[in-house]
Structure formats: structure tokens, C-alpha cells
Amino acid sequence: MAHPLVSVIIPSYNRSDVLRLCLDAVRAQTHPNVEVIVVDDCGTEDAAQVAASMGAKVVRTGVNGGPTPARNLGAEHATGEILFFLDADIALEPDAVANAVRLLETHPRVGALGGVLLPESLVSQSLAAQYRAVQMHRWWMPAHRPTLELHASVLAVPAKVFAEVGPFDPRLRETVSSDYRVRVTRSYEVKLSDAIRGRKDHDATVPTILRKVFRRARLSALDWREGETPGDSVPRAVGGVLLLAAVPAFALSRVLGGRRRRAAALVPPALVAAAMALDAGTYRFAFDRRGPAFGLYFSGVHLAVTFTGALGGAVGVTQRLALARLEKLARLAAQD
């Protein structure tokens, strides 16, 4: 078929102003055959009315369960040959859907096709939002090198593949996309393309970003399943570990005396420098794109984000080990 029907499925929870921009961008798509399904996840704002007034089919969840169950519910009501999952705070470039259709048609072995985020924020233009836009462009959905990552926020899946593989796992929180990638790659290929682009509205303050990074890293460590691979994130994870190690190294340098103190004082900056070197492309991109003033701001925030992510992951691993220990003790007690 020349123009297959594409079902754009948008989970929505409030933020009707941003949803309107998202829907405007969907209406401006060059692909001529699109149905839009907005899943209202028990929001308190007028997002559902905004969606309906803009011609979208509106489906409502029974309870607020987050984007994963909302995506699955939207897929149940979709009639398209291709399901295009899109977060409500992302405005696609006009050719995004057409490019997704073209790539899926020319690569029939691809079962999940991911997009990328542009390095500009959609609405918020605070320094923190600009940092997050650049960081996520380079770090979260990198188009500049091969990647094993997959994100459900900009994701096209043939309907037949979605029916075969099954819906997103609603039990998972931060690793739902990784889990879905593992399931898809058992029978199909996964591809990421910078021909599918969107502009996301990013968090406006650094504390909000740090809280989100910590929570996601902690939950990812708790939710990690055997068979999932970290992909590009290995060097970044090592960098985070180095930043964590710099804290006790600094404390040790303060308690030692004499020559040992002077030698120990060199360790923390060396660990920080090594961590930055492992992600040098990201720092360089920020300087090249926005200049030295923003580059310095970016570097400070990025070090804090990398450290916070590593700390959240360490807390999650500790919790995971503690839960495993408690489960083992419970089994032993049940056997006695």
C-alpha cells in the first residue's frame, strides 16, 4: 500500500499546552494517512478536550497508571498498520512519520524503529532545559553512533510485530523500553534513525533534573532483567563510578598527612578528569554548539547529573541485593 495508515498513540497526563503543540506537529505531518489516539491517563486538566477539539480519538484509562499502560490501551484502539508511540511533550518534525514509514518498508526485518531528540527544548528555554536538551540529544538517544538503546517516547512498530511480541510490560517502570528491545530482537532487528526527529519540552530546573535522574537510575537498577544490555551507556556508567570514587578519595586526602596527603590530593581530580574523558564527545558538543559560557555551565551540571545517576544506580543495586537476601532468608525460614 502506498500510504499505510499510521496510528500515532500519545499517552497524556495534563500539560494541555504542550499537548497542543504535539498535536499541531502531528497534524503537520507530510504522511497523508494518520489516525491520532490520545490516551488521557486520568488527568485533571483539559487535555482530553483539547485533543478531541483537534480531531484526535480520545481514550481514557480507568486509573492513573503512567505512560506504559496508556500506550498499551492506545494500541488496543488503534487500526493502523504501523503504531507510532509518541510522548505528549514531543513535537515531531514534519517528515518524521513519512520517514518512519519509508524505513520500515525498506527494512522489513526491523521490528522496532526509534527516533531521536533534537538538541533544543520545545517550550522551556531556561539554562537547565537547554542543558537537558543537549545532554539527552547526545546521551539518551544518540544518533551519532550505533546504539542498542530503544525508547518508547518516539517509537514506530509495525502492528503485526506489536501483536506478535505483545504489549509493553506494565509492571516495569524505567526499563520498559529495554525489556521491549530484548523481546523484539528475539525475532527482529531494532533500528534507531535520526530521520525521525522531535523536539521535547525539558525540565526547567536543575533540582528537578537531578531528582528525575536519581529516581530513574535507582528504579532501573531495581528493574534490570537478565538479558538486558546497557549498550552505549557502559563508558558513561564507568564515568559515574569514577565520580563516586572521587568522594571517598577526597575524604581520604584530607585525613592523611605529609607527602601521602599531597599524593592523595591528586587522586580526586584525576578521577574527575577520567570520567569527563569517557564522555568527552558530549562536553565537546556542548562547547561547539553553544560556546564557552554555556559549555562551562553544561560541564558543571553534567558532572552533577552523571554523579547523581551513578548514586541512584548504586542505591538501586543495594536495594536489589537486600531484597534478594531477604527473599533467600524467607525461603530458608519456610523450609525449616
Side-chain angles (χ1 to χ4, degrees), residues 7-18:
S7 298
V8 179
I9 299 167
I10 305 171
S12 173
Y13 180 71
N14 296 333
R15 292 300 308 274
S16 57
D17 56 332
V18 177

Side-chain angles (χ1 to χ4, degrees), residues 26 28 32 37 48 83 120 144 175 179 220-221 240 244 246 271 286 317:
V26 172
I37 301 172
L83 309 181
E120 301 92 20
H144 54 282
T175 58
D179 170 78
S220 293
L244 286 179
L271 291 172
V317 169

Side-chain angles (χ1 to χ4, degrees), residues 165-222:
V165 174
F168 301 106
D169 191 337
R171 298 169 298 175
L172 299 180
R173 293 157 288 188
E174 299 299 334
T175 58
V176 61
S177 297
S178 298
D179 170 78
Y180 197 71
R181 170 176 53 80
V182 170
R183 289 158 55 199
V184 170
T185 52
R186 290 170 184 159
S187 303
Y188 299 92
E189 298 174 7
V190 169
K191 183 178 177 62
L192 186 75
S193 174
D194 59 3
I196 306 167
R197 305 174 303 277
R199 189 171 284 101
K200 177 181 172 64
D201 188 44
H202 291 280
D203 294 314
T205 67
V206 172
T208 301
I209 294 171
L210 294 179
R211 285 194 297 269
K212 186 174 289 186
V213 167
F214 180 87
R215 186 187 75 249
R216 287 178 173 174
R218 183 181 68 83
L219 294 177
S220 293
L222 279 172

Side-chain angles (χ1 to χ4, degrees), residues 13-33:
Y13 180 71
N14 296 333
R15 292 300 308 274
S16 57
D17 56 332
V18 177
L19 175 62
R20 187 182 295 277
L21 297 176
C22 173
L23 292 173
D24 279 337
V26 172
R27 291 169 67 179
Q29 291 299 301
T30 58
H31 185 76
N33 201 9

